[in-house]
Amino acid sequence: MEVEHRVRYGINHWQRLYEFMCEMDFTPHSNHGDQLQRISCPTLVFSGDRDGIIPLDQVVEQFESIPDAELLIMPGTNHFTALKKTEWLTDAIVEFIERH
């Protein structure tokens, strides 16, 4: 797996991702709306309704900034939904992809 990951993404992928994340502004209501408005592909924005890291109102602001985006709020889940409700989230993503 590690070798496959290096071939696919490059040996410094995680370092570059970490540096990119460090440069982002994660203060409340910093939704990068000007950048999000430029997204032109089908986009599914999802969040748990109990996310303690990214407030739901900020998720909605981001969703509203992306043209033709779809919003999925998962009840009873937090920021780590993908780890806890893997099958449910995967089904939702596959359904989204099939529609587009």
Side-chain angles (χ1 to χ4, degrees), residues 1-32:
M1 174 89 172
E2 183 179 331
V3 172
E4 179 183 327
H5 185 276
R6 276 192 252 163
V7 170
R8 183 176 290 169
Y9 299 105
I11 196 164
N12 295 322
H13 170 74
W14 294 112
Q15 182 176 353
R16 289 191 314 269
L17 180 60
Y18 172 76
E19 290 167 357
F20 170 76
M21 297 294 285
C22 288
E23 291 175 9
M24 292 188 71
D25 178 10
F26 287 109
T27 56
H29 304 289
S30 60
N31 70 4
H32 306 282

